[in-house]
Amino acid sequence: MKDSGTMDRSSLDSLISMPLFAALPAAALDQVMSQSFIQYQPTEAILFEQGQSAQFLHVILAGRVALVGSSTNPHHSDHPADHNETEQATATDREAIIEIFGTGDVVTIAAVLLNLPYMMSARVIAPTRIAYIPAAVIRYCLDNDAGFARETALMLARHWRLLSRQLKDQKLRSGTQRLGAYLLTLSDGRTSGRAEIEMPMDRRTLASWLGMSAENLSRALAQLKPVGVQVSGRHAQIDEIARIRAFCLEDDLR
Amino acid sequence: MKDSGTMDRSSLDSLISMPLFAALPAAALDQVMSQSFIQYQPTEAILFEQGQSAQFLHVILAGRVALVGSSTNPHHSDHPADHNETEQATATDREAIIEIFGTGDVVTIAAVLLNLPYMMSARVIAPTRIAYIPAAVIRYCLDNDAGFARETALMLARHWRLLSRQLKDQKLRSGTQRLGAYLLTLSDGRTSGRAEIEMPMDRRTLASWLGMSAENLSRALAQLKPVGVQVSGRHAQIDEIARIRAFCLEDDLR
DNA sequence: CGGTTGTTTGAGGACGTTCAAGTACTGTGG
DNA sequence: CCACAGTACTTGAACGTCCTCAAACAACCG
């Protein structure tokens, strides 16, 4: 752990600008502020690993974090003892990015609320400023503040939609179609016309998120060229959004 | 729609036995009871279709319902009641089961809370008794009852876990492994020993749920035989659970 | 008994992965 | 500024998985 610090004024401002914490009464906010701390984490940092118990709610004040599921689990760990960051996994290291959180998002509130171990690991993929709020504080807020509970439910509802949409994509669209659909999400939801797009992550990460190999992502990009997509580096240009939408069988259901 | 009726005593009892509604004050319960109704729906009935706005929260008092995502326009082709759209009516009528809800579950509370159109359709896969609660009533409860908001958040958190687990399976396990993992969920969470299992749905449905073709499910069942799985009809027998667990790289994270 | 439906099996093909090699794009130090 | 190394990305070929289509079974029901 590095660059640790208590919560300052500007971080608190960032917090209360989020709907989740906006309506929290002063007393609860004091609780949060006094027991939480701030960390700056560089790319590749691990916030927590799959299997650990949920100690903190991680609020991303700035940056980007990926939730990563891996299929190799440490050999037969009977009780949830606290292994630390020095552990290295076994040979086959297959892993997949399940979700990507950005500024203003909150990472795995589910595990925190349910007081269960994390089902996945969290890895920083762009330099990040994070507020660590103790799980107990969050659960206290859930139990004692109706507004917080309400906002939590709404946030989880939105995330449920994101996940089920992704699951739908995964089950009945090809890799190339998923890529197209992803590009469309970067086009601000417009349904026709030209679009200039900046992809916010490297190919390997994007491939893992879309559920395909990096090599195949390359080929998928090539396959989109005839549909009117020019790519160079992280920049992409879509000639006609409607064409890509048709190609991906995209619906309007957000 | 058939067998419609207002909510009776026994249905109300079923409702308040669910954590979601258990703590609701009498006034709110009256609201719920007076504005809701009960329906019995047979297999293959459609509760709602992808794209419709969320009018009701569907509470499953008994039975089983599948959430189905489809990539083309939602038109069920049981009867040739053809609606030819201007869109290309693509030959492939692909669809996939995203989640399956059973007795005591609630269907797509996310769309209801957010007041957004359904992202998927709901199809009855086993005769079902359902309470239809108007969306406005649910949203009213969310806004005005802290306990309800809390329970909603917890329920959504559990569902988030289910979905992300499924997404993980989908992204980094083979079809056969997913099948094995599914059989394990039917073994009451035991981690070793023998198990006798009754599969609660037909092959086609199960295949769609596991994200594979019915044909491939057959082959996957055959592939599990060497690992100690005997199947006949809907009955299955696992010789040694631990062996399947190893085969599927199953972790303990629920 | 034929008809209907659900499941299995086989062959061919589409899609995706892996390994390997090649190319383009960083940055660093000379 | 270039040479260089290191990394990221692309491309190609071989292979495996999964899907599709078609046919063969099996089970159930009139």
Side-chain angles (χ1 to χ4, degrees):
Chain A
M1 301 232 174
K2 52 185 68 170
D3 301 325
S4 181
T6 59
M7 188 171 289
D8 57 11
R9 183 66 215 169
S10 102
S11 298
L12 184 66
D13 285 344
S14 301
L15 260 196
I16 60 180
S17 74
M18 296 169 55
L20 234 199
F21 301 98
L24 228 44
L29 264 186
D30 284 348
Q31 276 274 327
V32 168
M33 201 170 163
S34 66
Q35 300 194 39
S36 305
F37 57 94
I38 305 289
Q39 279 192 6
Y40 294 83
Q41 296 276 18
T43 301
E44 293 296 308
I46 306 291
L47 297 188
F48 51 79
E49 292 205 33
Q50 178 168 325
Q52 292 179 352
S53 69
Q55 296 188 296
F56 299 99
L57 179 70
H58 300 76
V59 182
I60 305 180
L61 303 176
R64 201 175 287 268
V65 172
L67 257 193
V68 180
S70 56
S71 62
T72 55
N73 44 345
H75 294 274
H76 203 45
S77 59
D78 285 329
H79 32 260
D82 224 23
H83 303 89
N84 249 352
E85 54 219 288
T86 50
E87 70 179 61
Q88 197 54 260
T90 37
T92 48
D93 209 11
R94 287 184 55 74
E95 60 176 45
I97 293 180
I98 303 299
E99 202 169 358
I100 292 185
F101 297 100
T103 302
D105 285 335
V106 141
V107 182
T108 54
I109 193 167
V112 171
L113 293 187
L114 300 172
N115 200 11
L116 289 172
Y118 294 116
M119 282 177 17
M120 287 167 292
S121 310
R123 177 191 308 150
V124 175
I125 59 174
T128 298
R129 189 162 120 255
I130 305 176
Y132 287 66
I133 307 180
V137 173
I138 294 299
R139 289 195 288 268
Y140 177 85
C141 288
L142 182 77
D143 290 344
N144 296 96
D145 189 79
F148 184 84
R150 188 188 113 95
E151 289 303 324
T152 301
L154 290 175
M155 190 185 66
L156 278 164
R158 279 185 290 269
H159 278 289
W160 188 89
R161 290 208 137 211
L162 286 179
L163 277 200
S164 57
R165 151 167 289 268
Q166 206 184 145
L167 203 41
K168 207 170 119 182
D169 283 1
Q170 204 65 37
K171 281 186 177 173
L172 42 78
R173 289 225 260 257
S174 73
T176 309
Q177 288 175 322
R178 290 199 298 276
L179 169 62
Y182 170 73
L183 291 179
L184 288 173
T185 66
L186 295 180
S187 321
D188 289 330
R190 286 161 43 223
T191 59
S192 68
R194 262 172 57 96
E196 299 277 340
I197 293 174
E198 210 62 35
M199 292 182 276
M201 49 189 141
D202 64 292
R203 293 280 200 289
R204 177 151 259 96
T205 304
L206 179 55
S208 177
W209 193 46
L210 294 176
M212 57 207 221
S213 66
E215 295 93 326
N216 218 35
L217 173 55
S218 262
R219 294 184 248 265
L221 283 169
Q223 282 188 318
L224 282 185
K225 188 171 287 182
V227 203
V229 179
Q230 280 77 34
V231 182
S232 100
R234 294 197 177 183
H235 185 81
Q237 172 193 320
I238 299 182
D239 293 340
E240 175 50 61
I241 293 183
R243 264 218 295 168
I244 314 285
R245 284 174 56 83
F247 175 82
C248 300
L249 303 175
E250 180 72 344
D251 54 47
D252 311 292
L253 279 19
R254 293 274 144 224
Chain B
M1 299 227 175
K2 52 182 68 171
D3 302 325
S4 183
T6 59
M7 187 171 290
D8 58 11
R9 182 67 214 169
S10 103
S11 299
L12 185 66
D13 285 343
S14 301
L15 261 196
I16 61 180
S17 74
M18 295 170 55
L20 234 200
F21 301 97
L24 229 44
L29 264 185
D30 285 347
Q31 276 272 326
V32 168
M33 201 169 163
S34 65
Q35 301 194 39
S36 305
F37 58 93
I38 304 289
Q39 280 192 4
Y40 293 82
Q41 296 277 17
T43 301
E44 291 297 306
I46 306 292
L47 297 188
F48 51 78
E49 292 206 29
Q50 176 169 327
Q52 293 178 353
S53 70
Q55 296 188 297
F56 298 99
L57 179 70
H58 301 75
V59 183
I60 306 181
L61 302 175
R64 200 176 288 268
V65 171
L67 257 193
V68 180
S70 56
S71 61
T72 57
N73 268 338
H75 282 307
H76 214 47
S77 51
D78 281 344
H79 290 294
D82 281 336
H83 252 264
N84 260 350
E85 284 278 326
T86 45
E87 289 279 342
Q88 45 176 353
T90 333
T92 44
D93 195 7
R94 296 179 49 72
E95 60 176 45
I97 293 180
I98 303 299
E99 203 169 359
I100 292 184
F101 297 100
T103 302
D105 284 335
V106 140
V107 184
T108 54
I109 194 168
V112 171
L113 293 187
L114 300 173
N115 200 12
L116 289 172
Y118 293 117
M119 282 177 14
M120 288 167 291
S121 310
R123 178 189 309 150
V124 175
I125 59 175
T128 298
R129 188 162 121 256
I130 304 176
Y132 287 65
I133 308 179
V137 173
I138 294 299
R139 287 195 289 270
Y140 176 86
C141 289
L142 181 77
D143 290 344
N144 296 96
D145 189 79
F148 184 83
R150 187 189 113 96
E151 288 303 324
T152 302
L154 290 176
M155 191 185 64
L156 278 164
R158 280 186 290 268
H159 279 288
W160 188 88
R161 290 207 137 210
L162 286 179
L163 277 199
S164 57
R165 153 167 287 267
Q166 206 184 145
L167 204 41
K168 208 170 118 181
D169 283 1
Q170 204 65 39
K171 281 186 177 172
L172 41 79
R173 287 224 259 258
S174 75
T176 308
Q177 288 175 322
R178 291 199 296 277
L179 169 61
Y182 170 73
L183 291 180
L184 288 173
T185 67
L186 295 180
S187 321
D188 289 330
R190 286 160 42 222
T191 59
S192 68
R194 264 173 57 95
E196 299 277 340
I197 293 174
E198 211 61 36
M199 291 183 276
M201 48 189 143
D202 65 295
R203 293 281 146 88
R204 187 159 303 279
T205 304
L206 179 55
S208 178
W209 163 240
L210 294 176
M212 60 212 264
S213 66
E215 295 94 327
N216 218 36
L217 173 56
S218 259
R219 294 184 249 263
L221 283 169
Q223 282 189 318
L224 283 184
K225 188 171 288 182
V227 202
V229 178
Q230 278 78 33
V231 183
S232 101
R234 293 196 176 183
H235 184 81
Q237 171 191 321
I238 298 182
D239 294 339
E240 176 48 60
I241 293 183
R243 260 214 302 165
I244 315 285
R245 284 175 55 82
F247 175 83
C248 301
L249 302 175
E250 180 72 342
D251 55 47
D252 310 294
L253 280 17
R254 292 276 146 223

